[in-house]
Amino acid sequence: MGLGKHKSGKHSKSNLELAIIRLEVLKKAIKQNTTINSRLVNLLEMNNQEVTMDDSNQGIRLPAVLIDLPSVEVFDKKKKMNIIRKRQYSRDLLVWLLEKYRVETNLPALEETQMESRLCHAQEIAKEVVQRCNNRHNLDKTLQWKNVKCYHSEMYRQIEHDAAAYLPLKACTGRWSAHLMLSKHWQNAEQGNGQQH
């Protein structure tokens, strides 16, 4: 009797281990599919934006490469452990984007002054896009970024077009670079307006 229970317990444990392994495999497959789906959605969005017509035929221009928002390992004080999260807006992230795009497309290296010039122009364009959206729609200057979701796509398209000579924003899956730049400048403008009152 005791021996039977021992065998049954061993069998249950191995079934549980097998189920856990299968679950991990499924998790990885779902994560992979999510990334692939995100890239496909991004490509379809770009197709809609980038279709160009001429007299003889219809041509579709796609970005030379697609670049995902990189992750970084950080220490979470609440959980008291290292976690992986998507990188936040920073100058370093934009430099990384330029370098990644340059390497992927075999473009020549940029000098520090060229890099700085591109970043400065792109930042100014982001500020202008935010200001134009505010003025065009007569928006309350104290509105937060999350409260103007209906205007996000309009601003994404605008900055991707206006800053194309300086940053490869259209190459970013899910429009992450346009999103990070605009949300940051929206926040800066909102804080500036809050301080004026």
Side-chain angles (χ1 to χ4, degrees), residues 13-26:
K13 188 177 177 184
S14 68
N15 281 347
L16 182 61
E17 288 171 350
L18 188 60
I20 289 169
I21 290 168
R22 286 182 179 157
L23 188 60
E24 287 303 314
V25 169
L26 277 172

Side-chain angles (χ1 to χ4, degrees), residues 133 137 139 145-155 157:
C133 181
H137 302 290
L139 299 175
W145 176 251
K146 64 182 179 183
N147 297 326
V148 291
K149 285 184 180 174
C150 55
Y151 302 112
H152 286 186
S153 289
E154 173 190 323
M155 287 188 280
R157 282 193 299 274

Side-chain angles (χ1 to χ4, degrees), residues 5 47 52 58 66 68 90 92 112 139 161 179:
K5 279 185 182 176
N47 278 346
T52 56
Q58 178 177 322
L66 288 175
D68 293 324
S90 69
D92 289 344
E112 186 61 34
L139 299 175
H161 177 269
H179 172 79

Side-chain angles (χ1 to χ4, degrees), residues 158-176:
Q158 193 68 58
I159 193 171
E160 285 171 350
H161 177 269
D162 293 356
Y166 308 108
L167 283 176
L169 303 181
K170 287 184 181 179
C172 300
T173 58
R175 294 179 146 165
W176 63 259

Side-chain angles (χ1 to χ4, degrees), residues 87-95 119 123 180:
R87 283 184 65 177
Q88 304 295 305
Y89 175 86
S90 69
R91 180 189 180 281
D92 289 344
L93 179 59
L94 297 180
V95 168
L119 294 176
Q123 303 288 2
L180 289 177

Side-chain angles (χ1 to χ4, degrees), residues 129-143:
V129 169
V130 165
Q131 194 172 15
R132 262 185 274 163
C133 181
N134 266 314
N135 295 341
R136 184 182 300 129
H137 302 290
N138 199 23
L139 299 175
D140 180 345
K141 303 278 192 261
T142 60
L143 281 173

Side-chain angles (χ1 to χ4, degrees), residues 42-139:
N42 195 59
L43 273 171
L44 288 170
E45 281 179 359
M46 285 185 203
N47 278 346
N48 289 338
Q49 297 162 27
E50 293 296 321
V51 169
T52 56
M53 302 286 287
D54 65 35
D55 295 335
S56 57
N57 64 351
Q58 178 177 322
I60 297 174
R61 290 181 294 138
L62 293 176
V65 294
L66 288 175
I67 301 170
D68 293 324
L69 175 59
S71 297
V72 64
E73 189 174 333
V74 294
F75 184 75
D76 188 306
K77 290 178 183 176
K78 288 182 183 175
K79 294 180 180 177
K80 295 183 180 176
M81 61 185 282
N82 286 348
I83 59 166
I84 303 294
R85 71 160 195 215
K86 296 293 184 184
R87 283 184 65 177
Q88 304 295 305
Y89 175 86
S90 69
R91 180 189 180 281
D92 289 344
L93 179 59
L94 297 180
V95 168
W96 174 87
L97 170 62
L98 271 170
E99 275 301 297
K100 174 89 171 161
Y101 186 81
R102 182 190 70 75
V103 169
E104 295 279 337
T105 54
N106 295 317
L107 292 172
L110 292 171
E111 292 177 13
E112 186 61 34
T113 52
Q114 292 173 311
M115 184 85 73
E116 200 55 46
S117 173
R118 284 178 176 230
L119 294 176
C120 286
H121 279 91
Q123 303 288 2
E124 287 304 312
I125 289 167
K127 285 181 197 171
E128 286 171 17
V129 169
V130 165
Q131 194 172 15
R132 262 185 274 163
C133 181
N134 266 314
N135 295 341
R136 184 182 300 129
H137 302 290
N138 199 23
L139 299 175

